[in-house]
C-alpha cells in the first residue's frame, strides 16, 4: 500500500508534457511525424508565425502544405514536444546539457533563434573545465554567437586548468596555436605557455614534435625570467634541435635586463595590473609629485622625489606599459618616458615651433594636437588652452601628430582648420578622436557641438550635440561609450555628467558626482580596464572625503572608491598646506613581475615605516 501511494506521489510530481490544444474554433491542421513514426498534432498558423522554416514550408505549393503532413524524422518525440512548447508559449524547461545541445541543433535547423539563445544560456551555466572546449566547438558549429563569446571568456579565465583536460590534448596544432597566441589567456607567468606546449606535444611526441618551432614562436620570451630561459628553455631538447628556436632564446637572453624596446611585444593581459597615476602639486618645494593607486589592491604608493615630472608638462599619458610626460619649453618639445618593466627613465626632445595643445592615446599609439598659430600670427593665438585671444582673418591650421617609439620620432598625419574654437575636450578611443564642446572666441559662445575625426578614413563627422554647452570639460572612454563631466561654466563644477551612446548617436545625462569643498574644479575622468573613474582635482588636507570615485554603470551611480591617504604618502608632513592640486592623471597597465610592482608590494602601511621604504621607482 505504501509503495502504491509513493508511486502515485511521484507521478503527480512530474511535469506533464506540453501538448497543443485542439478546439472547435482552432482545430489541428498539421501533423508532425518524428522518429519511430510518432505523430504530434499542431496548428499551421502558430508554426508559421514561430518559425521561418515552417512559414516557408507550410505556405507554398509543396506536398507538406497540401497534405498537412511534415516529416521530421531526425527529431525524437521528446525533442519536438519541447520545441512545440517553446513555439506556443515562448518558454521551455531545459534540465540537462544533452537536451540543451539537442534543442540548439534542432533550433538551428528550424530557424528558431530565440530557442538557441535560451538553450545556450543553459550550456553557459553548465560550463566547467572538462566541457569548455567541446562546448566552444559546438557553439561555433551552430553559430551561437553569445555562447561562443561567453565560452571563450570562460576558457581564457580558466586556461591553465583547461589545458590539463583531455579535450585540450586532442586539439589540432592550429587550435593550440590560436589559443596560446591570444593576449587574453589566463596564465600566471609567460613560462606557463612554454609548459603548455611541452605538455601538448608529450601526448603524441612522434607526430607533434614537428610542430614545436611553430608553437614556440608564440611564447613571448621577453617576459620570461632570465633564470628560466637558461635553466629550462635553453636546455630543452626540442629547443636545441631547432636552430631558429635556439636563436630566439639567445636573443631573449641578450635583451634581458637591457633597455631593449620590449614594449614592441604585448604582454598577456593576465600578467598586468592597472594603476592610476596622479600628479599632485602645491605643497612642497618639488614642482610635481607622482602618486600611484592600484585599484585591484586598493593601495596607494608614492614615487620618489627624483621621479617628479617636468615643470612645463602639458600632459601625462601611458602606452605599452610606459608612462610619457610631454612638455614644451621654448622651441623644444620634450618627451620624458618611464619604463615600468625596466624601471628606467629617458628623455627625448626635438624642435617644435607649433603650440602644443593636447596629448592623447588610442589603439596603443600616442598622438598630439598642435597649432601653428604662434608662427603664422604671433598676435592671434588660436586654440590655446587659457586666456583671451584676438582674432584675425587668417586661417590657423591645427595638426595631429603621431609618435613612433621605434624611431623615437613624430609624424604629422592630419591638418585641419578648427577656426576660433578653443577649450575643447578631446577624447580618443578606437579609431576616433572626439572634439567635444569648447568656446567660440569669435562670437564669445560656449559650444554644444561635437565632432569626431576618423583616423582610418581621415575624415570628419559631426555627431549629436551635447545636452548643455561645455568648455574646459574633462572626458574619458569606458563601457564602449564617451563620458563628459564639468565644463558647463568656470564655476559650476560637476553639476551634471553626460554619456554618448554611439549606437544611438545620443547624449544622455548620468548620475551627478558628489559635492566637494572645491566644486569649481572639474574632476578628471579616466577609463581603466573599461571602467570609469573620477579623480577629484583639489584635495583637502583637512577633509578626507576627496579621492577617487567609481562609476557603477549598471546602477547609474557614483561610488566612493578610495580616499587619498595623505599622511602615508607624505609622512614628513604637508607644511601647513590646506589643500593640494591634482594637475594631471592617467591610467597605465604594468606587468605584475616588473620592478615597479615588486617595489610597490613592500608598501603596506607608510605611516609605520621610514619614508624611503614608501617610495617606488
Amino acid at each position: 500500500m505504501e509503495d502504491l501511494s509513493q508511486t502515485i506521489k511521484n507521478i503527480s510530481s512530474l511535469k506533464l508534457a506540453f501538448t497543443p490544444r485542439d478546439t472547435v474554433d482552432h482545430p489541428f491542421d498539421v501533423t508532425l511525424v518524428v522518429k519511430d513514426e510518432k505523430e504530434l498534432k499542431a496548428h499551421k498558423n502558430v508554426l508559421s508565425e514561430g518559425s521561418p522554416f515552417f512559414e516557408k514550408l507550410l505556405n507554398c505549393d509543396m506536398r507538406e502544405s497540401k497534405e498537412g503532413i511534415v516529416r521530421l524524422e531526425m527529431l525524437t518525440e521528446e525533442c519536438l514536444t519541447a520545441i512545440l512548447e517553446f513555439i506556443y508559449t515562448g518558454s521551455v524547461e531545459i534540465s540537462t546539457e544533452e537536451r540543451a545541445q539537442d534543442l540548439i541543433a534542432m533550433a538551428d535547423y528550424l530557424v528558431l533563434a530565440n530557442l538557441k539563445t535560451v538553450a545556450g544560456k543553459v550550456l553557459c551555466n553548465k560550463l566547467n573545465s572538462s566541457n569548455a572546449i567541446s562546448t566552444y566547438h559546438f557553439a561555433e558549429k551552430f553559430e551561437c554567437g553569445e555562447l561562443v563569446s561567453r565560452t571563450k571568456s570562460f576558457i581564457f579565465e580558466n586556461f591553465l586548468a583547461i589545458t590539463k583536460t583531455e579535450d585540450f590534448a586532442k586539439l589540432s596544432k592550429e587550435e593550440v596555436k590560436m589559443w596560446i597566441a591570444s593576449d587574453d589567456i589566463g596564465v600566471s607567468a609567460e613560462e606557463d605557455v612554454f609548459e603548455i606546449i611541452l605538455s601538448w606535444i608529450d601526448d603524441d611526441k612522434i607526430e607533434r614534435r614537428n610542430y614545436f618551432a611553430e608553437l614556440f614562436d608564440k611564447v613571448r620570451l621577453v617576459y620570461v625570467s632570465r633564470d628560466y630561459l637558461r635553466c629550462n628553455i635553453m636546455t630543452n631538447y626540442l629547443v636545441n634541435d631547432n636552430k631558429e628556436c635556439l636563436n630566439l632564446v639567445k636573443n631573449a637572453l641578450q635583451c634581458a635586463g637591457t633597455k631593449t624596446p620590449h614594449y614592441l611585444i604585448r604582454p598577456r593581459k593576465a600578467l598586468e595590473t592597472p594603476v592610476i597615476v596622479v600628479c599632485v602639486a602645491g605643497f612642497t618645494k618639488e614642482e610635481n609629485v607622482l602618486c600611484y593607486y592600484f585599484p585591484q589592491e586598493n593601495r596607494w604608493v608614492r614615487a620618489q622625489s627624483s621621479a617628479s615630472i617636468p615643470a612645463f608638462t602639458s600632459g601625462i599619458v601611458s602606452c605599452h606599459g610606459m608612462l610619457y610626460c610631454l612638455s614644451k619649453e621654448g622651441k623644444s618639445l620634450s618627451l620624458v618616458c618611464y619604463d615600468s618593466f625596466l624601471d628606467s627613465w629617458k628623455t627625448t626632445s626635438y624642435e617644435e615651433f607649433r603650440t602644443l595643445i593636447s596629448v592623447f592615446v588610442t589603439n596603443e599609439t600616442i598622438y598630439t594636437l598642435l597649432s601653428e598659430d604662434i608662427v603664422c600670427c604671433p598676435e592671434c593665438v588660436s586654440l590655446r588652452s587659457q586666456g583671451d585671444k584676438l582674432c584675425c582673418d587668417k586661417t590657423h591650421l591645427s595638426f595631429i601628430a603621431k609618435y613612433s617609439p621605434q624611431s623615437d620620432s613624430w609624424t604629422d598625419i592630419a591638418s585641419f582648420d578648427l577656426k576660433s574654437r578653443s577649450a575643447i575636450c578631446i577624447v580618443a578611443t578606437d579609431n576616433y578622436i572626439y572634439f567635444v564642446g569648447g568656446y567660440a572666441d569669435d562670437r564669445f559662445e560656449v559650444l554644444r557641438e561635437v565632432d569626431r575625426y576618423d583616423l582610418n578614413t581621415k575624415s570628419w563627422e559631426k555627431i549629436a550635440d551635447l545636452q548643455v554647452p561645455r568648455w574646459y570639460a574633462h572626458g574619458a572612454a569606458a563601457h564602449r561609450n564617451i563620458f563628459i563631466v564639468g565644463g558647463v561654466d568656470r564655476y559650476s563644477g560637476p553639476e551634471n555628467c553626460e554619456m554618448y551612446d554611439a549606437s544611438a548617436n545620443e547624449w544622455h545625462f548620468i548620475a551627478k558626482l558628489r559635492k566637494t569643498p572645491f566644486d569649481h574644479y572639474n574632476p578628471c575622468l579616466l577609463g581603466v580596464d573599461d571602467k570609469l573613474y573620477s579623480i577629484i582635482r583639489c584635495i583637502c588636507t583637512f577633509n578626507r572625503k576627496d579621492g577617487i570615485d567609481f562609476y557603477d554603470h549598471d546602477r547609474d551611480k557614483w561610488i566612493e572608491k578610495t580616499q587619498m591617504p595623505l599622511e602615508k604618502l607624505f609622512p614628513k608632513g604637508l607644511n601647513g598646506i590646506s589643500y593640494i592640486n591634482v594637475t594631471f592623471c592617467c591610467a597605465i597597465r604594468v606587468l605584475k613581475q616588473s620592478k615597479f610592482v615588486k617595489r610597490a608590494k613592500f608598501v603596506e602601511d607608510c605611516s609605520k615605516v621610514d619614508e624611503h621604504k614608501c617610495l617606488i621607482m
Side-chain angles (χ1 to χ4, degrees), residues 243-313:
K243 186 177 179 179
E244 291 183 3
C245 294
L246 196 59
N247 286 336
L248 288 174
V249 180
K250 289 179 179 178
N251 290 336
L253 281 169
Q254 290 176 357
C255 294
T258 68
K259 299 189 184 303
T260 300
H262 60 278
Y263 49 82
L264 298 179
I265 303 173
R266 287 192 58 155
R268 315 281 178 178
K269 292 179 181 178
L271 305 182
E272 297 179 305
T273 187
V275 179
I276 294 177
V277 181
V278 178
C279 178
V280 296
F283 57 94
T284 68
K285 293 181 180 179
E286 300 169 73
E287 190 67 31
N288 296 287
V289 174
L290 296 179
C291 298
Y292 306 96
Y293 176 66
F294 292 70
Q296 293 180 354
E297 296 82 1
N298 193 27
R299 184 163 47 83
W300 287 85
V301 291
R302 175 190 166 187
Q304 60 187 11
S305 57
S306 61
S308 60
I309 67 173
F312 298 94
T313 294

Side-chain angles (χ1 to χ4, degrees), residues 13-44:
S13 66
L14 294 175
K15 179 184 176 182
L16 296 176
F18 173 83
T19 55
R21 294 181 61 185
D22 182 30
T23 66
V24 175
D25 296 330
H26 198 196
F28 291 137
D29 54 3
V30 64
T31 300
L32 306 173
V33 182
V34 295
K35 189 177 293 186
D36 298 330
E37 295 299 316
K38 299 283 185 178
E39 295 184 355
L40 285 84
K41 303 291 186 178
H43 305 89
K44 284 185 179 181

Side-chain angles (χ1 to χ4, degrees), residues 554-601:
D554 294 330
R555 295 190 292 167
D556 186 27
K557 182 179 180 181
W558 287 96
I559 300 170
E560 184 179 343
K561 177 69 175 177
T562 179
Q563 298 172 13
M564 197 168 185
L566 300 179
E567 295 92 345
K568 295 181 180 181
L569 294 173
F570 309 105
K572 287 187 176 181
L574 299 169
N575 301 325
I577 300 298
S578 59
Y579 65 90
I580 61 176
N581 294 327
V582 173
T583 54
F584 298 104
C585 58
C586 73
I588 182 174
R589 292 188 61 84
V590 298
L591 277 167
K592 296 175 182 178
Q593 69 187 72
S594 66
K595 294 180 181 179
F596 179 93
V597 173
K598 288 178 180 178
R599 283 184 169 185
K601 287 181 179 178

Side-chain angles (χ1 to χ4, degrees), residues 371-468:
S371 171
E372 67 175 3
D373 300 318
I374 288 179
V375 175
C376 72
C377 189
E379 68 278 4
C380 180
V381 183
S382 174
L383 288 176
R384 68 185 183 188
S385 60
Q386 59 185 359
D388 298 326
K389 140 181 127 77
L390 300 173
C391 299
C392 68
D393 295 328
K394 294 182 180 179
T395 297
H396 299 151
L397 290 180
S398 296
F399 302 83
I400 295 176
K402 180 173 70 173
Y403 176 67
S404 170
Q406 294 92 329
S407 60
D408 190 22
S409 62
W410 295 84
T411 306
D412 287 353
I413 62 170
S415 63
F416 41 86
D417 180 14
L418 285 176
K419 302 187 184 301
S420 63
R421 189 175 174 185
S422 62
I424 305 169
C425 175
I426 297 177
V427 182
T429 180
D430 297 326
N431 298 315
Y432 294 108
I433 303 172
Y434 290 80
F435 293 74
V436 183
Y439 187 79
D441 296 280
D442 56 350
R443 58 184 188 271
F444 307 104
E445 180 185 354
V446 182
L447 303 175
R448 296 175 58 225
E449 62 190 65
V450 184
D451 303 275
R452 68 181 182 185
Y453 181 76
D454 190 326
L455 290 165
N456 283 343
T457 63
K458 301 186 185 304
S459 61
W460 286 92
E461 178 185 10
K462 186 171 287 296
I463 62 174
D465 287 348
L466 292 163
Q467 298 281 358
V468 293

Side-chain angles (χ1 to χ4, degrees), residues 16-74:
L16 296 176
F18 173 83
T19 55
R21 294 181 61 185
D22 182 30
T23 66
V24 175
D25 296 330
H26 198 196
F28 291 137
D29 54 3
V30 64
T31 300
L32 306 173
V33 182
V34 295
K35 189 177 293 186
D36 298 330
E37 295 299 316
K38 299 283 185 178
E39 295 184 355
L40 285 84
K41 303 291 186 178
H43 305 89
K44 284 185 179 181
N45 63 329
V46 176
L47 296 181
S48 298
E49 185 177 348
S51 164
F53 171 87
F54 285 119
E55 195 279 331
K56 183 177 181 179
L57 186 68
L58 298 174
N59 294 280
C60 63
D61 190 24
M62 295 183 67
R63 185 180 65 182
E64 288 84 356
S65 178
K66 295 177 180 178
E67 297 177 356
I69 299 175
V70 178
R71 306 192 71 85
L72 299 169
E73 296 175 349
M74 77 290 292

Side-chain angles (χ1 to χ4, degrees), residues 212-230:
F212 174 75
E214 192 173 346
L215 297 176
F216 184 70
D217 185 61
K218 301 305 174 185
V219 181
R220 303 175 189 186
L221 296 174
V222 71
Y223 298 111
V224 174
S225 69
R226 182 181 294 184
D227 288 344
Y228 192 89
L229 283 170
R230 286 175 173 172

